[in-house]
Amino acid sequence: MTGRLEGTRCLVTGGSRGLGRELCLAFAREGARVAFTFRRREADAEDTTLRLRALGCEPQCFQGDVADGAHAQAVVGALTRAWGGLDVLVNNAGVQHVVPLALLEEPDWDLMLNTCLKGPYLFSRAALRGMIRARKGTILNVGVFSSERIVEAPAHYAAAKAGLRGLTDALAREVGRHGVRVNMLSPGLLDVGLGRMLMPHRVEEYRAQAALGRTGTAEEVARMAVFLVSDENTFMTGARVTPDGGL
Amino acid sequence: MRALVARGLPVDFTWCEGEARARALSEATGAVGRRLDLTDRAALQGFLRAVVDEGAPDVVLHCAAVSQARGLQDLTDDDWDRAVEVNGRSAFALCRALGPAMGARGGGDIVLVGALDRGQTLPLPVHFAATQGMLSAMTMALGKALGPVGVRVNMVALGPLGEGLSRALPASLVEDYRAFSALRRLGTAEEVARVLAWLALENTFMTGRVVTANGGI
């Protein structure tokens, strides 16, 4: 199936690499107009842009910190001027930082919470005004399996994503009556992101515990996301989708 | 059914009551319908054996369910037994018979259709709620049991629809649902069918999970 997002105006935060990049590519393959943000890695952003162009998509690319309210307003404002609005916001930007809580410094905690929780608040706030006016839109928050259950995972990461889960539930309830759906996609260990940072024995542990006996790929999770943000999905809101291989 | 047929897939289905509807569906879609009473254990076992003999399917959806809009004091043991038999035990028998056979063919997807993920607090008929809890817990264990042979098992917990079992709900409960769900409306069979088709055909990395499609309750 192709063309499932034909003309759909999508913004992915943290889209320069990892799952964010795969989300951009999956959306573009389905005919979406794609914009993404990134914080520091210009070479990765350029690479994502080139890959999107190879799919026939001319992306909009914005550099900035998702925890900066002015940045969020500027990005959404620019897309509104360029595209006339926004149909899909994916709050994907995160921080990969593996350290035990006893060694965690306050700035690291703040960076994690700001990126994974305050960022989605700021971008959702910026995007929602147009979505509510249009009485149509969807927000997909990217969580993590470790906020859903007890596993060995960075505590500040799990805490931030658990907060995002609460934000998803409350926001779904708040804006559903305006025709805006809010869902959460919480993948397990993938071939990108945290999955690349963990010690090999930890990844092996995951494989041993997962019913499917493997870690996932960003591509397969991104394919699942296509349905969640598409117009085919009309009755799921406040839902949690946890592709974790059956952990 | 129609969502799967629309994707060009060959589909068989079972039915128990509503012969006219089953015939109309067969005529409209070309799908083969077979009558099967899920409370008849011998018939179910025979049916499952025949399915395995014919070649295990790639995808199985368990949609059958029964309920009665009765309060706790009015529920009989027979009501309880029938709900457990149709809503729970038949799903267990189906997974036990078809799961390994699907695995032997290279894997597949089983999607159980239910109504609760235990995240909600709703005044539902007690026997029905119990079977839905059974279904969600069974999904978790089935995911673990069949994952190693490449068979994913997930459950979709639906909210009230404008048809089917939801018609038996008290009008006041339906109105409460409309008022309090995020989307402020009931669902339609067509839109939840799209969710089921997505999970059955496009998911490759999720198993043992309950996904809600309930308009936000």
Side-chain angles (χ1 to χ4, degrees):
Chain A
M1 295 171 80
T2 54
R4 299 165 80 180
L5 298 175
E6 198 63 51
T8 304
R9 301 162 296 185
C10 304
L11 169 62
V12 178
T13 66
S16 64
R17 62 195 181 119
L19 180 59
R21 173 186 284 171
E22 288 300 331
L23 289 164
C24 291
L25 295 172
F27 294 170
R29 283 187 200 102
E30 297 293 342
R33 284 191 271 182
V34 176
F36 68 91
T37 73
F38 71 102
R39 189 159 57 109
R40 283 184 292 127
R41 296 173 184 266
E42 291 179 23
D44 287 338
E46 183 60 26
D47 192 17
T48 300
T49 298
L50 291 174
R51 290 181 194 219
L52 286 165
R53 281 184 185 147
L55 294 171
C57 171
E58 186 54 52
Q60 303 259 358
C61 177
F62 302 91
Q63 184 168 15
D65 181 355
V66 289
D68 175 356
H71 170 61
Q73 294 291 352
V75 170
V76 173
L79 292 176
T80 302
R81 286 190 295 280
W83 290 346
L86 193 60
D87 302 304
V88 173
L89 167 66
V90 181
N91 286 310
N92 167 75
V95 179
Q96 276 121 39
H97 184 234
V98 181
V99 65
L101 189 75
L103 302 177
L104 189 65
E105 301 292 343
E106 276 189 56
D108 295 330
W109 173 273
D110 290 341
L111 176 64
M112 185 66 80
L113 270 286
N114 282 341
T115 305
C116 294
L117 191 53
K118 187 178 179 187
Y121 145 64
L122 292 172
F123 269 82
S124 299
R125 187 180 66 173
L128 272 170
R129 290 174 187 165
M131 289 179 175
I132 289 171
R133 211 175 300 124
R135 297 199 62 76
K136 182 177 183 293
T138 184
I139 295 174
L140 184 64
N141 292 326
V142 176
V144 67
F145 66 103
S146 60
S147 67
E148 302 280 337
R149 50 174 298 160
I150 298 173
V151 292
E152 201 171 322
H156 57 331
Y157 189 42
K161 294 295 189 179
L164 187 58
R165 201 177 63 196
L167 178 67
T168 302
D169 290 352
L171 194 56
R173 177 66 184 243
E174 182 178 315
V175 299
R177 65 180 180 276
H178 301 299
V180 179
R181 293 178 296 102
V182 187
N183 291 298
M184 188 154 187
L185 179 66
S186 298
L189 217 52
L190 304 180
D191 57 352
V192 296
L194 191 65
R196 282 195 172 172
M197 298 183 66
L198 293 178
M199 299 292 284
H201 74 276
R202 296 276 304 281
V203 177
E204 273 315 307
E205 270 175 24
Y206 188 97
R207 288 197 181 108
Q209 291 296 319
L212 298 182
R214 64 178 178 90
T215 54
T217 69
E219 193 182 340
E220 65 187 333
V221 172
R223 277 202 307 267
M224 289 192 85
V226 167
F227 171 83
L228 290 170
V229 303
S230 76
D231 288 343
E232 296 165 50
N233 175 24
T234 50
F235 199 48
M236 286 174 70
T237 193
R240 296 171 199 157
V241 177
T242 311
D244 64 359
L247 194 64
Chain B
M1 270 289 308
R2 291 180 196 275
L4 297 174
V5 170
R7 294 201 186 195
L9 301 173
V11 182
D12 286 2
F13 69 98
T14 73
W15 57 276
C16 183
E17 296 164 358
E19 183 173 358
R21 280 199 306 272
R23 283 186 192 284
L25 188 59
S26 282
E27 283 170 17
T29 62
V32 178
R34 307 184 208 192
R35 186 178 184 282
L36 178 65
D37 180 352
L38 294 174
T39 64
D40 182 341
R41 294 187 180 192
L44 175 58
Q45 199 176 347
F47 168 77
L48 293 171
R49 200 179 301 120
V51 171
V52 171
D53 289 345
E54 289 169 20
D58 301 306
V59 166
V60 176
L61 301 179
H62 183 282
C63 299
V66 293
S67 183
Q68 296 84 21
R70 290 183 189 150
L72 178 60
Q73 298 304 319
D74 298 323
L75 278 174
T76 66
D77 286 357
D78 285 344
D79 293 334
W80 174 274
D81 289 344
R82 185 167 156 72
V84 169
E85 199 74 13
V86 174
N87 304 357
R89 206 197 72 85
S90 71
F92 155 69
L94 183 150
C95 293
R96 183 179 57 182
L98 300 186
M102 292 166 73
R105 286 195 58 193
D109 285 88
I110 298 174
V111 180
L112 306 177
V113 182
L116 289 173
D117 73 345
R118 290 296 295 109
Q120 307 93 2
T121 304
L122 296 168
L124 292 173
V126 170
H127 64 325
F128 177 72
T131 61
Q132 300 311 299
M134 178 197 294
L135 214 52
S136 64
M138 197 160 64
T139 299
M140 174 270 293
L142 285 166
K144 287 289 189 189
L146 294 172
V149 296
V151 176
R152 291 167 292 268
V153 185
N154 292 290
M155 174 178 164
V156 177
L158 304 178
L161 309 181
E163 52 207 292
L165 277 188
S166 308
R167 283 185 178 161
L169 291 173
S172 59
L173 184 59
V174 172
E175 276 317 303
D176 282 352
Y177 177 82
R178 273 191 222 275
F180 288 107
S181 73
L183 298 183
R184 303 289 200 269
R185 66 177 175 86
L186 306 184
T188 69
E190 192 181 341
E191 62 187 342
V192 300
R194 289 196 295 267
V195 177
L196 298 176
W198 162 67
L199 206 51
L201 302 176
E202 298 177 44
N203 163 43
T204 53
F205 193 50
M206 185 164 70
T207 191
R209 290 289 179 175
V210 181
V211 174
T212 56
N214 60 19
I217 50 173

